[in-house]
């Protein structure tokens, strides 16, 4: 089980949830009451875009229109298609 810390900016406190790596970050967060915005849950809308600040992960298939290679290189990903492989720290995009 991995610990995932979600930063919501400087003024708000971080949220923490656990994820075993077989469930997406979005599904694990929602199951534990941590809010991450989402739309399609299929990697096509980009509403659940996050930035991975620390940690290893596996990314499933998602649209290059909402997550281009330039964003991927900067560790942006979609929570609905991201599976942790270690403890992680992520930032929500506003």
């Amino acid at each position: 089980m991995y610990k995932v810390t979600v930063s919501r900016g400087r003024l708000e406190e971080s949220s923490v949830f656990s994820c075993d790596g077989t469930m997406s970050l979005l599904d694990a967060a929602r199951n534990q009451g941590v809010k991450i915005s989402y739309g399609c849950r299929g990697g096509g809308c980009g509403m659940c875009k996050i930035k991975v600040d620390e940690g290893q992960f596996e990314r499933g298939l998602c649209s290059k229109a909402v997550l281009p290679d330039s964003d991927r290189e900067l560790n942006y990903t979609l929570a609905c298609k991201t599976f942790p492989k270690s403890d992680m720290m992520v930032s929500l995009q506003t």
Side-chain angles (χ1 to χ4, degrees):
M1 195 66 75
Y2 303 115
K3 180 174 96 170
V4 181
T5 304
V6 180
S7 170
R8 299 181 184 281
R10 296 181 195 182
L11 300 177
E12 296 184 51
E13 291 195 22
S14 296
S15 300
V16 177
F17 65 94
S18 57
C19 186
D20 66 5
T22 63
M23 184 178 284
S24 73
L25 292 181
L26 178 64
D27 288 340
R30 291 185 48 75
N31 286 347
Q32 295 170 58
V34 176
K35 291 189 178 191
I36 296 177
S37 296
Y38 71 97
C40 71
R41 295 173 75 157
C45 74
M47 287 183 64
C48 64
K49 190 176 193 178
I50 58 174
K51 183 171 193 302
V52 177
D53 299 313
E54 291 181 22
Q56 302 296 314
F57 62 96
E58 183 177 309
R59 182 186 296 119
L61 293 176
C62 48
S63 170
K64 288 208 175 190
V66 296
L67 192 67
D69 288 337
S70 57
D71 283 358
R72 294 168 195 241
E73 291 170 8
L74 296 172
N75 267 357
Y76 287 96
T77 190
L78 303 180
C80 70
K81 293 294 181 178
T82 301
F83 303 87
K85 298 298 175 195
S86 70
D87 289 349
M88 297 179 71
M89 294 186 73
V90 303
S91 302
L92 294 182
Q93 300 307 296
T94 54

